[in-house]
Amino acid sequence: MNHSIQHIEKNLMTIKGQRVLIDRDVATLYGVETRDINKAVKNNPDKFPKDYVLELTDTEKNEVVENFHHLQSLKYAKTNPKAFTEKGLYMLATILKSKQATEATFLIIETFAKLRALQKTVTAASSTTGNKKNTLLKKSGELMADLLDQDMTETESKTTLELNFAVLKLKHTTKRKK
């Protein structure tokens, strides 16, 4: 499987206030057809409550098509796609028992965990000062490097990552050796 945390993170979107993956992207990750994903949901309605899988409205579908170029073909789809929350993705993995689905689920878990940790450290850093702030900023930089540099070959090099948030500016330099 040639998917990575970066691949999953790139396809994550926020719909109705939740981070989700569209059924088509989930199917690609799990190595199945989109119809298999939707069939699993239809055949197991008790396993997919409202906060596990969302049916996109026409407006949301149009927004997804506009903002995610790899989903352009959804523009002409007769039905609106489904969007899976983190919980829905885990539940889906229990139904689709392929090796690829299991490996993809591990990547999904890691992606969501790292995004939560990053959010937590950035929030904490914005309300802290002194050495503790520096420690939190360093941790944030390391988490971002993990998210962004997962599959890169490590050599004697420096990576500088700079992000501007409304409440803080984060600049982190990492030097990695092979």
Side-chain angles (χ1 to χ4, degrees):
M1 182 174 72
N2 60 1
H3 297 293
S4 65
I5 288 177
Q6 297 85 3
H7 179 81
I8 294 168
E9 185 185 13
K10 179 183 76 164
N11 291 326
L12 278 173
M13 57 190 77
T14 302
I15 296 178
K16 296 178 181 152
Q18 298 197 59
R19 301 284 283 178
V20 296
L21 280 175
I22 295 294
D23 53 10
R24 184 171 295 182
D25 291 334
V26 175
T28 301
L29 279 172
Y30 285 177
V32 298
E33 297 293 324
T34 306
R35 69 174 179 271
D36 298 328
I37 298 290
N38 292 319
K39 189 175 180 184
V41 172
K42 184 179 177 185
N43 292 340
N44 299 280
D46 55 318
K47 292 186 178 186
F48 294 97
K50 278 185 187 178
D51 59 336
Y52 282 46
V53 63
L54 313 169
E55 182 87 32
L56 271 62
T57 64
D58 289 339
T59 303
E60 290 164 337
K61 176 179 134 180
N62 292 336
E63 188 176 317
V64 164
V65 167
E66 187 176 312
N67 294 315
F68 291 85
H69 298 292
H70 74 284
L71 297 173
Q72 287 294 313
S73 62
L74 287 177
K75 184 176 188 174
Y76 306 106
K78 293 177 184 175
T79 59
N80 289 346
K82 290 178 177 53
F84 289 85
T85 65
E86 182 178 3
K87 295 176 203 173
L89 292 167
Y90 299 153
M91 187 58 71
L92 194 56
T94 67
I95 296 168
L96 303 173
K97 297 183 187 235
S98 72
K99 181 179 178 188
Q100 186 169 338
T102 301
E103 290 173 8
T105 301
F106 288 136
L107 283 173
I108 291 165
I109 290 167
E110 290 299 316
T111 302
F112 276 100
K114 286 181 181 180
L115 288 171
R116 272 194 301 278
L118 178 59
Q119 180 182 13
K120 184 178 176 182
T121 56
V122 167
T123 301
S126 69
S127 61
T128 308
T129 60
N131 272 348
K132 186 168 182 164
K133 184 172 192 153
N134 289 338
T135 301
L136 289 169
L137 290 176
K138 183 178 181 199
K139 182 175 179 166
S140 295
E142 290 167 358
L143 286 166
M144 283 187 276
D146 282 349
L147 282 167
L148 299 173
D149 291 346
Q150 186 80 18
D151 295 329
M152 294 179 144
T153 304
E154 293 183 11
T155 60
E156 176 88 30
S157 67
K158 278 175 44 172
T159 303
T160 300
L161 187 57
E162 187 171 328
L163 293 174
N164 260 325
F165 295 95
V167 290
L168 72 115
K169 181 178 180 179
L170 175 65
K171 182 175 182 178
H172 178 73
T173 302
T174 306
K175 188 172 187 174
R176 296 184 178 206
K177 294 181 181 180
K178 188 168 183 140

